[in-house]
């Protein structure tokens, strides 16, 4: 019943920006965590950023830190990933994922395998 739908991907030049959206439905409260992951062809999936929709805490990968910002609109059950200063290495399919979790749980979850729900992915291509 829970569904996640990503949008906002596209083609962008190095140094450019994109804003990804993850619309969630089926949650009955704000007690869940959203994670953004990406996967480039031939590479393992990697975590990018996560946030708790209940307490607002965030966690970023080292590559995302300082360039990307994860945020959420609780009223709309939507999470965002603002990506600035994009680099070639940022290219890949970006997925949002979610797991039901209470406040204070983000530091335990981070990029672990605990996410139960996944979106379909949206392609981000950084190219000159």
């Amino acid at each position: 019943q829970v569904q996640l739908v990503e949008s906002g991907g596209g083609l962008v030049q190095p140094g450019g920006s994109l804003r990804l959206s993850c619309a969630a439905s089926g949650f009955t409260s704000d007690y869940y965590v959203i994670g953004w992951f990406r996967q480039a062809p031939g590479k393992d999936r990697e975590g990018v950023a996560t946030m708790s929709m209940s307490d607002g805490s965030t966690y970023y990968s080292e590559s995302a830190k300082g360039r990307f910002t994860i945020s959420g609109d609780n009223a709309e059950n939507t999470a965002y990933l603002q990506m600035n200063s994009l680099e070639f290495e940022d290219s890949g399919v970006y997925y949002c994922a979610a797991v039901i979790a209470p406040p204070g749980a983000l530091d335990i979850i981070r990029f672990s395998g605990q996410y139960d729900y996944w979106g379909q992915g949206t392609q981000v291509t950084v190219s000159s």
Side-chain angles (χ1 to χ4, degrees), residues 36-102:
W36 284 100
F37 298 80
R38 68 188 182 192
Q39 187 167 25
K43 295 186 177 181
D44 292 333
R45 184 179 63 205
E46 63 176 343
V48 179
T50 67
M51 75 172 298
S52 170
M53 297 296 283
S54 60
D55 64 30
S57 59
T58 60
Y59 180 79
Y60 296 90
S61 69
E62 288 300 315
S63 65
K65 202 172 301 181
R67 299 187 300 127
F68 296 0
T69 302
I70 187 171
S71 62
D73 184 333
N74 292 89
E76 298 293 333
N77 284 324
T78 301
Y80 304 94
L81 183 67
Q82 178 66 48
M83 304 187 293
N84 299 324
S85 301
L86 284 162
E87 304 167 351
F88 172 79
E89 293 79 10
D90 295 316
S91 297
V93 178
Y94 282 69
Y95 301 89
C96 67
V99 59
I100 296 173

